[in-house]
Amino acid sequence: MRALPAPGRRGRLVCFAAVGGVNTLTFSACYLPLHRLLPYFAAYTAAFAVSMVGAFFLHTYVTYRTRPTWTKFLLFPLTQVTNYGVQSAGLVALVGWCGLDTALAPPVAALCAVPFSYLLSRRILHPPHRPGPARSGPARHAPERPGPAAQAGPPSARSGPAA
C-alpha cells in the first residue's frame, strides 16, 4: 500500500483546520460526559489532554504526513500555549481597543490565532529538511547495482597471481 502524497501548503492549511474541527468535537465528546462525573475543571483538564493527544496524532499523520516522535509529542503542547496566548491577547484587543462585543470577540480571536498555531505546529511536526554532509556514492534509497568488478568473482580470480 502506497502512502498518500503530502498535501501542498493550501491543502495542509485545510487539513489543519479540519483537524481543529475534529479536535473541538473530541473535546466536547470527552468534556460533556466527564462533567457529569467530575468537577468541571477536572473534566475540562481531562478532555483537553485527550483532545490534545488526538490532535497531535491527527496533525502528525493527516496534516503533515510525518512520523510521530517523543520530541515532537513533548513539544506539541507549545502550539496550545501559543494558541491560548494569541487568542487571549486578541480577545483583550478586540474587546478593549476595538469595542467588539464580548460574544463575538472569542471566535474572531480564535480565527486570528489559526495562522500562529499553524506555523508553530508545522515547525514542530514537520521541521524543514536539513541537508546532511555530502555523500559520495549511491543515495540511500537507490538500490545498489553490482559493478563489473563485483560480478567477476573474488579478487584473486579477477587480478591473476599476486605480485
Side-chain angles (χ1 to χ4, degrees):
M1 182 173 189
R2 296 178 66 181
L4 294 172
R9 284 196 179 174
R10 187 171 286 159
R12 262 192 238 128
L13 191 55
V14 169
C15 287
F16 183 82
V19 168
V22 170
N23 191 39
T24 300
L25 293 173
T26 302
F27 173 82
S28 298
C30 292
Y31 175 74
L32 295 174
L34 287 174
H35 182 33
R36 295 178 185 171
L37 303 171
L38 302 171
Y40 78 93
F41 195 75
Y44 173 84
T45 302
F48 186 84
V50 168
S51 66
M52 188 166 45
V53 170
F56 169 74
F57 285 108
L58 284 172
H59 281 309
T60 300
Y61 288 118
V62 176
T63 306
Y64 300 107
R65 308 229 167 114
T66 185
R67 288 181 27 206
T69 64
W70 281 108
T71 302
K72 291 174 186 177
F73 182 76
L74 295 173
L75 289 174
F76 187 72
L78 292 175
T79 64
Q80 302 299 314
V81 170
T82 300
N83 191 20
Y84 180 79
V86 171
Q87 282 191 47
S88 298
L91 184 64
V92 169
L94 289 168
V95 172
W97 300 344
C98 301
L100 199 61
D101 182 69
T102 56
L104 185 59
V108 173
L111 284 174
C112 292
V114 168
F116 296 97
S117 300
Y118 171 75
L119 291 173
L120 185 57
S121 73
R122 185 179 73 187
R123 181 85 172 154
I124 290 171
L125 298 177
H126 196 267
H129 176 69
R130 294 184 185 141
R135 296 182 199 191
S136 60
R140 262 201 270 188
H141 63 281
E144 286 191 36
R145 293 184 182 162
Q151 294 172 349
S156 60
R158 279 193 323 244
S159 57

